[in-house]
Amino acid sequence: MSYPLKTTLDVSGTLTETLWFPADKQTKKSPGNNWVFFIIPGNPGVIDYYTNFLTTIYEEHEKMINVIGVSHLGHSHDPHNHSSETLYSLQDQIEHKILCFDKLSEKFEKEWDVKPKFILAGHSVGAHICKEVLKARPNHGIEMVYALFPTLQHILKTPNGALLNPLLFGEFQRNVSASFVQLIRTNLFPSFFKFMIRLCTAQSDPYLSITTDQLLHGHIVKNALYMANTEMETITELEEEFYKTNLDKFVFYFSDGDGWAPLSHYEDMIKRFPEGKVLLCDQGMPHSFVIGYGEIMGKKVSNWIKDIKDY
């Protein structure tokens, strides 16, 4: 099994947690292979949840492509972020990912002396962020965008949005939630804290350890909830004209029973874009596919990559 490099990338002065599977030069079939797969996570944006998914893609392509993922700002429990009180909105995250893309593009072009070809993948709100990266950098080598369980319109009106918005996403609610998480984290033995989270989430390792060790800290919970609040306010009407203009670059992948990207959104996209690649999962994968379904989704995405012309 391959293991990623876990690095902290300096993106215009902002330290960014990154998982990186570098292309193995010894196994490249062609010296002109200059593909980069770049994943933008959903919310919470802890990139470690995506390790199995990214590992599968890397190995399915015989380690011939660079596979990279980044955490959202304020969503990583690294030394640079342990006590940060800064809150990052959806727009802040979009601007950050554009800068990440620019840094990667510059790095690989300098290293290879040829422009890299990017495949962007966005999970949940990450799909919306990918769309914004493409909009900002339309002529910078973005070949495809995979929108996985995408939240692209009216999040507040989705089943989960309507249910959770009044409970979690206001300023008072997120402050209470963050304080409660930090309180129980501080006052329970780590083993008992982990046991309680296992009971509440039904998660097992490695996902349970990611949740307890990296996600459930007061400042990270507050940031995830703040970002979600700005998602509700920002993501409303679908940008139909933009998708029509760039339809050949998109694959939209929905799942029946998804409370964030419901079946009605899939049906709406089919009507709007009958010529587009709008797909419905037939394998029962949930919205949070990275927990337990990363390998299955990784193989599916790998097949899409292999289908790209001249790859």
Side-chain angles (χ1 to χ4, degrees):
M1 179 178 175
S2 302
Y3 295 94
L5 300 175
K6 190 167 184 179
T7 64
T8 301
L9 195 66
D10 187 338
V11 181
S12 297
T14 302
L15 297 180
T16 303
E17 187 180 49
T18 307
L19 288 185
W20 195 314
F21 295 81
D24 186 345
K25 295 180 181 179
Q26 301 302 315
T27 63
K28 283 187 177 182
K29 294 178 181 178
S30 167
N33 192 321
N34 56 329
W35 289 82
V36 181
F37 181 88
F38 180 35
I39 179 79
I40 298 176
N43 183 7
V46 180
I47 196 59
D48 287 70
Y49 284 120
Y50 294 78
T51 301
N52 195 26
F53 171 67
L54 297 177
T55 300
T56 301
I57 294 172
Y58 185 59
E59 294 186 340
E60 285 288 309
H61 290 274
E62 301 177 356
K63 306 179 184 180
M64 288 167 49
I65 61 174
N66 282 275
V67 177
I68 301 167
V70 297
S71 287
H72 289 317
L73 293 176
H75 291 216
S76 57
H77 189 66
D78 273 349
H80 64 273
N81 191 43
H82 276 184
S83 60
S84 174
E85 293 299 321
T86 304
L87 295 179
Y88 298 96
S89 68
L90 174 60
Q91 185 58 38
D92 292 330
Q93 303 291 0
I94 290 169
E95 292 171 4
H96 172 247
K97 302 311 176 295
I98 294 170
L99 292 174
C100 287
F101 176 84
D102 289 345
K103 186 175 184 72
L104 294 174
S105 183
E106 180 181 355
K107 169 187 166 51
F108 287 121
E109 184 171 358
K110 183 177 181 180
E111 180 180 325
W112 298 336
D113 197 29
V114 62
K115 289 186 179 297
K117 296 179 180 180
F118 279 89
I119 299 167
L120 303 187
H123 174 213
S124 191
V125 71
H128 173 84
I129 297 174
C130 282
K131 179 259 294 181
E132 293 297 318
V133 174
L134 176 60
K135 186 189 296 185
R137 301 291 185 265
N139 302 307
H140 288 67
I142 299 175
E143 300 290 321
M144 292 295 295
V145 178
Y146 299 147
L148 310 177
F149 309 90
T151 54
L152 302 175
Q153 59 174 306
H154 296 294
I155 299 181
L156 188 56
K157 295 180 181 179
T158 63
N160 284 356
L163 174 66
L164 295 177
N165 185 57
L167 297 176
L168 293 176
F169 300 141
E171 182 178 2
F172 174 77
Q173 294 94 319
R174 67 173 171 265
N175 287 339
V176 169
S177 298
S179 297
F180 176 72
V181 166
Q182 196 59 38
L183 179 67
I184 62 172
R185 171 172 209 98
T186 303
N187 289 281
L188 294 180
F189 288 112
S191 58
F192 187 63
F193 177 67
K194 192 170 186 177
F195 172 74
M196 293 297 295
I197 300 305
R198 184 194 300 270
L199 289 180
C200 293
T201 65
Q203 290 178 0
S204 58
D205 278 330
Y207 310 106
L208 177 63
S209 291
I210 295 171
T211 299
T212 56
D213 298 347
Q214 299 187 49
L215 174 62
L216 292 180
H217 298 268
H219 65 286
I220 294 177
V221 169
K222 187 182 291 188
N223 244 304
L225 294 177
Y226 177 69
M227 180 181 172
N229 179 245
T230 60
E231 292 170 36
M232 302 288 171
E233 296 173 346
T234 303
I235 302 177
T236 53
E237 295 294 330
L238 186 76
E239 292 193 50
E240 185 171 354
E241 288 306 312
F242 178 81
Y243 288 115
K244 280 183 178 178
T245 302
N246 297 278
L247 194 58
D248 61 324
K249 289 185 179 290
F250 280 90
V251 175
F252 305 97
Y253 192 75
F254 292 87
S255 179
D256 192 4
D258 189 336
W260 289 112
L263 185 63
S264 60
H265 286 193
Y266 162 76
E267 293 169 342
D268 179 62
M269 297 290 278
I270 286 286
K271 290 178 182 177
R272 292 179 192 249
F273 312 118
E275 303 302 319
K277 301 181 186 72
V278 185
L279 310 176
L280 186 65
C281 175
D282 59 0
Q283 295 174 281
M285 283 189 278
H287 185 82
S288 55
F289 74 89
V290 290
I291 299 178
Y293 293 84
E295 183 176 355
I296 295 173
M297 195 68 224
K299 288 183 177 180
K300 183 176 292 292
V301 169
S302 293
N303 287 332
W304 296 345
I305 297 172
K306 291 171 185 177
D307 286 340
I308 295 176
K309 190 175 181 180
D310 81 11
Y311 172 70

